[in-house]
Amino acid sequence: MPELPEVETIVRVLDRVLAGRKIDGVRELGKMRLPFNTKSAARSLSGATIVGVRRRAKYLVIDLDSTTALLAHLGMTGNFHLDSAAEPLQKHDRLVISLAGGDELRYSDARRFGFVKPVRAARLGDWPDELSHLGPEPLERSFSWRAMLERARGRKVPVKIFIMDQEVVVGVGNIYASEALHAAGVDPRRLAGVLDMDEWKRVVAEIKAVLRRAIRSGGSTIRNYRTVDGNEGGFQRSLHVYGRGGQACLRCGSEVEQIRQGGRSTFFCPKCQV
DNA sequence: CCAAATCCCTGCGTGC
DNA sequence: TGCACGCAGGGATTTG
């Protein structure tokens, strides 16, 4: 499942291979979570040149040489691949963007939790309005322990749920929330509002650290995430608690517990995390 | 305002 | 081998 490091990895490759390429046309092969509106999209996209690809939270923005951009979210199983037009389509390809020269940028998504859609930016290079509700980027300075301590005051939601709230901080999904809290030694069931300054210092530092390390490894391949070239990420080998319920904590040897919070699995060590 | 529940979707692992 | 079933979860939306 793509979280921030996986999306960052994909964006870096897409930016490199797509910048400067011209769009010839688009075809929608199957419905996505949000409607694509092929007809009006074809008008605004055909003939446009891709300027670059950026990431905000877990969203991808494909900038064009106009105030229209393509906004994408990979959901659980979304992926982009760049194929020759002669290459046969795959079962879950949902959208095909034909590029001048014969290549096709294809968006595939088995479970349709993701989408690609044209959006309008006020000015070239602005983030589209659809992203205006998002909290700070975790790897930027605005994501600080001071800000978290302030933001969490009075909140009675478990800290793991809190750090996965995209209005609080973006890009921290289920895998990295468990990992960061384990590294910080904080029990995921604690309420966000009761964490003290030292605990927020550790949580914020570990969120940054685990995300940076995961980006360096090209992300985590848990089920079906692949880079644009079809390669697996490498960070799944560095996971300390996620997916390791019943196994020994790598730090203290106690049994890693798996519980459910907000309908999602949480993994933690009851001895290391207090 | 806040918190919790619900929904969307399909591949995959498990048990019989 | 085949089938039924439960699980995986990001984020928008609904309910309490």
Side-chain angles (χ1 to χ4, degrees), chain A residues 84-102:
Chain A
S84 155
E87 199 75 16
L89 291 167
Q90 288 170 30
K91 185 176 176 189
H92 300 300
D93 286 343
R94 308 290 182 199
L95 187 77
V96 174
I97 300 172
S98 308
L99 304 173

Side-chain angles (χ1 to χ4, degrees), chain A residues 3-5 7-8 11-12 54-61 127 131 133-145 147-148 163 165-172 204 207-208 211-212 215:
Chain A
E3 297 185 23
L4 186 147
V7 177
E8 179 67 23
V11 160
R12 288 178 184 182
R54 298 181 286 165
R55 177 190 63 75
R56 173 80 172 100
K58 299 177 201 168
Y59 294 85
L60 300 90
V61 176
W127 294 110
L131 305 183
H133 63 290
L134 294 171
E137 284 287 327
L139 296 179
E140 290 180 3
R141 294 183 67 88
S142 52
F143 177 58
S144 65
W145 65 264
M148 285 301 104
I163 61 174
D165 182 340
Q166 301 297 296
E167 295 189 24
V168 171
V169 57
V170 301
V172 182
V204 168
I207 287 174
K208 290 175 187 280
L211 291 177
R212 284 209 183 92
I215 291 171

Side-chain angles (χ1 to χ4, degrees), chain A residues 30-201:
Chain A
K31 291 267 171 276
M32 299 178 278
R33 178 159 62 88
L34 299 179
F36 182 76
N37 195 352
T38 309
K39 229 176 195 156
S40 80
R43 253 200 317 279
S44 51
L45 298 180
S46 293
T49 296
I50 297 173
V51 174
V53 185
R54 298 181 286 165
R55 177 190 63 75
R56 173 80 172 100
K58 299 177 201 168
Y59 294 85
L60 300 90
V61 176
I62 302 176
D63 287 307
L64 308 173
D65 57 349
S66 72
T67 50
T68 298
L70 284 169
L71 178 68
H73 195 290
L74 302 175
M76 296 290 295
T77 52
N79 206 358
F80 282 104
H81 43 113
L82 189 63
D83 294 322
S84 155
E87 199 75 16
L89 291 167
Q90 288 170 30
K91 185 176 176 189
H92 300 300
D93 286 343
R94 308 290 182 199
L95 187 77
V96 174
I97 300 172
S98 308
L99 304 173
D103 287 342
E104 292 183 337
L105 177 66
R106 295 171 178 172
Y107 175 73
S108 74
D109 189 353
R111 281 156 70 180
R112 304 172 194 260
F113 272 26
F115 66 88
V116 183
K117 69 175 283 195
V119 292
R120 195 148 282 282
R123 283 177 322 210
L124 197 62
D126 279 2
W127 294 110
D129 287 346
E130 282 83 352
L131 305 183
S132 61
H133 63 290
L134 294 171
E137 284 287 327
L139 296 179
E140 290 180 3
R141 294 183 67 88
S142 52
F143 177 58
S144 65
W145 65 264
R146 289 177 192 281
M148 285 301 104
L149 187 63
E150 167 72 18
R151 193 81 159 69
R153 193 188 305 163
R155 291 291 304 269
K156 292 182 172 12
V157 64
V159 60
K160 193 246 189 178
I161 305 286
F162 184 72
I163 61 174
M164 288 177 65
D165 182 340
Q166 301 297 296
E167 295 189 24
V168 171
V169 57
V170 301
V172 182
N174 206 40
I175 299 171
Y176 298 109
S178 280
E179 291 299 312
L181 290 174
H182 178 257
V186 171
D187 190 317
R189 300 167 294 187
R190 303 262 308 284
L191 300 187
V194 308
L195 267 64
D196 64 22
M197 180 182 73
D198 281 339
E199 289 167 331
W200 276 119
K201 281 184 178 175

Side-chain angles (χ1 to χ4, degrees), chain A residues 219-235:
Chain A
S220 305
T221 296
I222 299 296
R223 284 180 183 76
N224 44 24
Y225 155 75
R226 291 290 185 280
T227 63
V228 178
D229 331 300
N231 294 318
E232 295 198 351
F235 197 70

Side-chain angles (χ1 to χ4, degrees), chain A residues 240-274:
Chain A
H240 285 205
V241 284
Y242 185 85
R244 299 192 63 251
Q247 300 178 43
C249 169
L250 296 177
R251 188 196 287 148
C252 77
S254 308
E255 197 169 295
V256 173
E257 274 190 37
Q258 174 173 3
I259 59 172
R260 288 191 81 75
Q261 291 183 292
R264 268 83 174 158
S265 292
T266 296
F267 299 89
F268 71 106
C269 170
K271 189 155 174 224
C272 292
Q273 296 174 255
V274 292

